[in-house]
Structure formats: C-alpha cells, structure tokens
Amino acid sequence: AASVGGSTISVSELQGQVRDVEDAFGVDAIADGAEFQRQLLTGDVRGFLLADLAESEGLEVSGSEIDDVVDSGIESAGTKEALLEGGLYTEDTLRQAAHDQILADKLSAELGGSEQLVTAVQELGDELGVNVSRRYGTWDRAALAVVASPGAIASTPFAPAE
C-alpha cells in the first residue's frame, strides 16, 4: 500500500487495520472506506517518518508517557470506550497514535517549533522516499498526508468484502 525508505505497509496490513475497526465498531462505523484507508496510511507513513527522525535526534517514548496520554484522552472523552469509538481506534492504534503525538511534541521542542518539525519531516520524506500505491492516492508533501488522486479507490464507492 505504501513504503517509506525501506519500510513497507502492505495491502494486507492496511486491510487488517480496517478489519480490526470493523470488528470493533461494525462496518457502518466507517462512513467513507477509501478516505478511512488514506487516513490509516497517513498515520502509518507519518509514524515511520517521526520514528526515524526521533531516532536521529536520540528521542524515545516510554510506556508510562503513552499511558499518561491515553489516560488524559479517556478523561476528556469520559470513558475508554467513548475515546476508542470517537476516534475509531483499536487499543493498538490508540497507543500508536499517542506514541506518535508524543514523538511529534518532543521533536517540535527539540527542533525549535512546529514549523521546523514539519520542514524536517518533509525533508526526511524526500530523502527516504514516500511511495503510495496509486490505488490509495498519492503522498502530499505539503500536507504530510495521503490524498486522493485520479484512479485511486476514492473515485469508486467503497464496498466491504463479503
């Protein structure tokens, strides 16, 4: 589905992420399947880029830091179930999202602000190469996101596998 440097997000991995959400919340929870898949890929690609950048800066995230962010989210949402359902998170994707947010916060502080972080992530993406299967769209360097493109699955209605 996508690659960042030598790291790959396979179609089966992406489909597994979608199935996990469908299993947890029902097929109807995903209003736009194509857009949801692009959001998942965007998170995966950003996660690879943030992790690589953080490694080069010597930054790490601890389990207790992730727990604190998750606990804060649960407190804001009212319940863990509300947090999971509101973001269409599974337990794993919630923890990964918290991990990536902590990395982004630490990198922003280390690099001198969010503009510097965005520039660093864009440059790293250019250096490593971000490739997205046309089936899902293209990598938008400016937005740091997978976006719809001609021929992407966004141009056809999403139908869950039967």
Side-chain angles (χ1 to χ4, degrees), residues 3 6 15 22 39 52 66 74-75 107-108 113 131-133 150 156:
S3 64
Q15 290 172 344
E22 289 174 343
Q39 290 171 358
D52 196 280
I66 294 171
I74 292 169
E75 187 175 314
L107 283 163
S108 183
N131 298 297
V132 176
S133 168
T156 59

Side-chain angles (χ1 to χ4, degrees), residues 1-4 7-11 13-14 41-42 44-45 48 130-133 136 146:
S3 64
V4 181
S7 301
T8 302
I9 303 131
S10 71
V11 171
E13 288 171 320
L14 178 63
L41 276 177
T42 294
D44 291 343
V45 169
F48 280 124
V130 176
N131 298 297
V132 176
S133 168
Y136 299 103
V146 176

Side-chain angles (χ1 to χ4, degrees), residues 4-5 49 52-53 120-130 141:
V4 181
L49 293 170
D52 196 280
L53 192 56
V121 172
Q122 289 169 331
E123 290 173 354
L124 181 60
D126 293 345
E127 177 186 327
L128 295 176
V130 176
R141 179 189 191 275

Side-chain angles (χ1 to χ4, degrees), residues 64-77 83 94:
S64 64
E65 288 174 303
I66 294 171
D67 291 341
D68 290 346
V69 169
V70 169
D71 290 346
S72 175
I74 292 169
E75 187 175 314
S76 295
L83 176 62
L94 174 62

